[in-house]
Structures are given as C-alpha cells and as structure tokens.
C-alpha cells in the first residue's frame, strides 16, 4: 500500500526551548571549563559564579543556591585532589548531582504509584488556579496516554468560567478524545459524578476531570474541590501550576496539598518564562513529585519530567535514553527490524524517505529532539525550523504524486525520467525545480544511508559481540556528518552513548542512530 498522506493536524511553529536562558547559561559555564588546560581554584570559582548567577536569574531561592555552591566546593576540593584525577570532570559531575538533588522532589519511587493502571478505570482530578493552563493540560495528558494505548475521556466540571466547556470540547474533538459536560447544570460535583459514571460504563480506562479555577486561593475554590473529590473519589489528584510565578510556587503547592490529596504536579508554560527554574525547585522543596511539564501551547508539547535526563539536557549533555523512547513512540517496534534490514542491505527508496520524514514530523519540534543529543542543544537558529518543516511537507506532497513503482525503485534512471518528473510535479501542483530538489535530496540521503550497508545486528552476549559493536560504531561514525560527530564529542562521545544505553536492545539503538542520521542530514540542508 501507499504511504499515509499528509501529516495529521499538527501545525508548523517556531521552536521553543524549555528553560532556554537557564540551560544556555549553565551549559556555557561548563563549556568554558574546556577552554582551560588546568582547572584551578580561580577557574572553578569563575564557573560556579556563572552557575549561581544563572540560577538566581531563574528565580531559584537564594538559600538553595548558596547551599548548592557550598556542597560543590566541598565535593571538589582542588588542593586535595589526588594526582591524575580530572578536576573538570569532577566539577561537571558535582554540578549535575547538586542540580538533580535540588529538582528531585518526591523522587522516582513516589512518582511510580501515580502511573494509571491499564484494564481498570483510573479517575484523575485536575486542580489549579485560573489561567494556569489546566484545561489545555487535561487534553495534553489524555493525548499523551492515548498514544500509549489507554482509552482516555474528559469531563468538564468547570461551571465557574464562561467558555470552559467550549474550550474542552474543541480541544477534545481535535485530539479525538470523548468528552462530557453540560451547558445547563450548575453543580460541578453532579456533572463530575455523571461524567465519570458514563465513561466507566463505556469502559474508558482513564477518566480526567477538569475542575474550576479562581484568580487566587479562595475558600470557595477549596470547598468546591472537596465536593468534586467526594463525588468522584479520584485515584489521583494532579495540581497544575503556571511556572511564571517562580518561587511563589512553594506556597501555592503547600496550600493545595493541605486541602486535597495532591498526588503529583504538572508545571506549565516552561517554554516562555525566565522563572521556570525557580518554580521547579520550589515545588521540589514541598516533596510533591513533578510528573509532567508543559513545554508549549500545542498538544504534543508535553513531556514526562524525569530529573536526571532533564538536568542532563539542561547542561547540554543530552539524553540518549529519552531519544530512543521518543523514536520508539513514533516507529512501531515491529517495523524497526524490517527498516534496519533494508538499510543494511543497501535498499533505500523514496518510500523509506517518506516514512522517515513522517516519523521526524511525529517526533515534535526539532529543537526539542536536538536537545537530547550531546552538544547539539541550541544549534538550530530561530526561524530555520519553520523553513525545514515546510521543505519536508513540500517533498512529501511530491511523493504523494508518485506511483508505487517510483516509490519502491532504487533506480535513478526511473526517478530522473523527464516525463515522470513532469507528471509528478503537475500532480503535486509544484514546479520542475521542486522535483529536481526532491531527487537530489534522495540521492544525498541514499549515499549517506549506503554507508550503513553490511552493518551487523549482534545478539547481546553472542559470539563476536564486541567485534561487531566496534565495527558498527566505526560505520555509524562514518555516516554521521563530521561537524555533528565533533559536537557529540567524536568517537569517545559515541562510546559514552553505548555505555548509557547498556542493557538496551541493539535493534533499538541502531534505529536510534538511523533517526539521528536523518536529523544530521536535515541540519546539513539548513546550512548548519
């Protein structure tokens, strides 16, 4: 069959960066360490000054920052370091560890019990002040779990704000999620109870109840929250909070936690405000686990919050495991071995190129994906992402105009036939120049993917495993654009990646590398 046409209802937008200013400042401070041959007390002091300045500008509590600096100095005593120990690495590790401790909150053990259980109805109640992005976050939460195989449903129990039900209805319809609400009923507890009962009967396993908000922490809001909670008996209550309030997040989180049993917190609007770091550290101080963060206004700009990978990306150190998980979300597991076999045998067709473009689009904003690759964070200039997305859509439109023979051939003679090129362009409403651009792109990608020919897929622990791994790593290094490999730290960076992925399935790792080469190619197109 043909490849699926179009790219769904996602829209092209400008890239955003979660805690962009804080991340750039922290990564810059660590990068400057590399400029010094010897890291002495003066260099370390200058680095820590930049780190503390960045944290204070992000509205992190002064006491936390002072304590963090003391802990780092204690861990990395330059004068007492044994000969041969790498002061730079120790300092990087100390900064990483202290940031993780600051943002840890309830910790991974606590967070585990807030994952919905499949096969039984899970009722989740969302609470928060007005304007924090609660209704949008309900839909994002539902969409996130829908992609993981759950059957979510939304209930609008917000009778206070005019237009709340209309907003939820619009969001839910767009994401194809069933919803319930009322224009006439004024009792939020009754609406919530009726909606939950209906969706339990319809065998939905994740029922999300959106409650009213107020402009501030009023008694009436807390009373209404208690009534709705009593009516639906939620399995978990999620508190949604706007990151722009910075340190004030601590008092707000405590007030809500004292009223209802807040299981976890979602922090929104982390893409557009300088105080996000302060909000995260303040919530962590209340020991309320942060489950998710909102990274933009669109439905897919929402990610699970895991402290170590988050800090790693913040410091420009990447997040390989997160990248593999993202790729596994968009490329079905049963398609991965087939794709790798085709690439290893040297078969690269227009259909494969189409599928890879579709996968890249499903992965969300390219800037977010790039931040998961060490050294690549912040490499995409503003405005370039929009042009790149438009180019991909243009090429996919041309491929939609191709026959099955053209999609599955590896013959350039067929693809460069003037009559075929004219027909393809006319069918897609594009000019001859666009068809030539597509064929040239295919030739470049085909040459690049050809470097994967003969790559072996060793079984874990099998005979010749380490030799095959070394050979594959050499091939991967040859297939990645040189400037990108340099940014990643060269061969040692690849070896470090292997260590991080220890225990992961080899097929997944190879597929991840395939995805990364596609990204490298796109960066080349953008002149980076």
């Amino acid at each position: 069959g043909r490849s699926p046409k179009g790219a769904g209802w996602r829209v092209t937008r400008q890239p955003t960066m979660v805690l962009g200013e804080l991340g750039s400042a922290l990564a810059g401070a660590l990068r400057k360490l590399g400029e010094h041959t010897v890291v002495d007390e003066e260099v370390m002091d200058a680095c820590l000054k930049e780190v503390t300045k960045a944290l204070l500008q992000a509205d992190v509590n002064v006491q936390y920052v002072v304590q963090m600096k003391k802990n780092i100095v204690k861990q990395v005593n330059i004068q007492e370091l044994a000969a041969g120990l790498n002061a730079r690495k120790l300092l990087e590790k100390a900064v990483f560890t202290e940031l993780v401790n600051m943002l840890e909150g309830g910790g991974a053990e606590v967070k585990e019990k807030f994952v919905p259980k499949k096969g039984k109805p899970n009722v989740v109640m969302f609470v928060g002040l007005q304007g924090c992005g609660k209704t949008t976050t309900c839909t994002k939460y539902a969409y996130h779990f829908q992609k993981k195989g759950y059957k979510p449903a939304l209930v609008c129990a917000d009778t206070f704000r005019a237009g709340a039900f209309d907003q939820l209805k619009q969001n839910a319809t767009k994401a194809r999620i069933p919803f319930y609400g009322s224009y006439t009923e004024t009792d939020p507890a009754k609406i919530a109870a009726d909606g939950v009962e209906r969706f339990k009967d319809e065998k939905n396993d994740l029922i999300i109840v959106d409650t009213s908000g107020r402009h501030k922490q009023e008694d009436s809001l807390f009373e209404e929250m208690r009534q709705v909670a009593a009516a639906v008996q939620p399995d978990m209550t999620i508190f949604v909070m706007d990151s722009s309030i910075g340190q004030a997040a601590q008092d707000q989180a405590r007030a809500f936690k004292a009223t209802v049993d807040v299981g976890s917190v979602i922090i929104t609007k982390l893409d557009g405000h300088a105080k996000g770091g302060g909000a995260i550290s303040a919530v962590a101080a209340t020991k309320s686990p942060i489950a998710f963060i909102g990274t933009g206004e669109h439905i897919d700009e929402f990610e699970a919050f895991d402290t170590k990978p988050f800090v790693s990306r913040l410091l420009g150190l990447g997040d390989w495991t997160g990248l593999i998980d993202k790729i596994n979300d968009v490329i079905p597991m049963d398609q991965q071995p087939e794709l790798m076999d085709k690439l290893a045998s040297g078969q690269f067709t227009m259909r494969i190129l189409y599928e890879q473009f579709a996968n890249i689009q499903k992965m969300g904003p390219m800037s977010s994906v790039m931040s998961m690759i060490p050294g690549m964070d912040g490499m995409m200039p503003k405005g370039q992402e929009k042009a790149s997305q438009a180019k991909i859509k243009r090429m996919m439109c041309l491929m939609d105009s191709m026959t099955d023979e053209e999609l599955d051939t590896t013959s350039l003679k067929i693809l460069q036939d003037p009559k075929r090129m004219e027909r393809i362009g006319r069918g897609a409403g594009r000019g001859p120049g666009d068809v030539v651009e597509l064929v040239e792109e295919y030739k470049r990608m085909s040459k690049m993917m050809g470097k994967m020919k003969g790559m072996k897929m060793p079984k874990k622990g099998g005979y010749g495993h380490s030799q095959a791994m070394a050979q594959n790593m050499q091939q991967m290094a040859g297939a990645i654009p040189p400037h990108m490999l340099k940014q990643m730290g060269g061969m040692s960076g690849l070896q470090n990646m292997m260590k991080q992925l220890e225990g992961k399935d080899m097929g997944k790792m190879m597929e991840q590398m395939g995805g990364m080469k596609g990204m490298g190619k796109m960066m080349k197109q953008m002149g980076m």
Side-chain angles (χ1 to χ4, degrees), residues 421-442:
M421 289 175 79
E422 186 187 346
R423 194 205 76 249
I424 291 165
R426 206 167 51 238
R430 310 298 311 187
D434 291 322
V435 186
V436 171
E437 180 189 45
L438 172 63
V439 174
E440 287 302 312
E441 180 57 31
Y442 167 76

Side-chain angles (χ1 to χ4, degrees), residues 254-326:
R254 285 205 170 111
F256 274 84
K257 206 173 177 184
T259 308
V260 287
D261 182 22
V262 171
S264 56
V265 176
I266 294 177
I267 299 181
T268 62
K269 308 179 189 178
L270 272 169
D271 56 312
H273 212 280
K275 291 186 176 183
I280 292 177
S281 60
V283 173
T286 68
K287 295 295 174 193
S288 300
I290 301 166
F292 292 90
I293 52 175
T295 59
E297 62 188 88
H298 298 274
I299 197 164
D300 55 353
E301 293 177 318
F302 183 74
E303 52 188 70
F305 181 81
D306 197 352
T307 319
K308 285 184 180 175
F310 181 80
V311 172
S312 183
R313 286 165 63 186
L314 205 59
L315 295 174
L317 304 174
D319 172 19
W320 286 116
T321 358
L323 185 57
I324 282 188
D325 291 342
K326 200 176 254 289

Side-chain angles (χ1 to χ4, degrees), residues 411-452:
S411 165
L412 281 172
K413 188 179 178 183
I414 291 176
L415 293 174
Q416 290 178 316
D417 180 273
K419 286 185 179 176
R420 287 179 185 268
M421 289 175 79
E422 186 187 346
R423 194 205 76 249
I424 291 165
R426 206 167 51 238
R430 310 298 311 187
D434 291 322
V435 186
V436 171
E437 180 189 45
L438 172 63
V439 174
E440 287 302 312
E441 180 57 31
Y442 167 76
K443 281 159 70 176
R444 283 193 293 266
M445 283 294 280
S446 183
K447 185 181 176 184
M448 188 183 205
M449 293 300 183
K451 292 179 182 176
M452 286 185 74

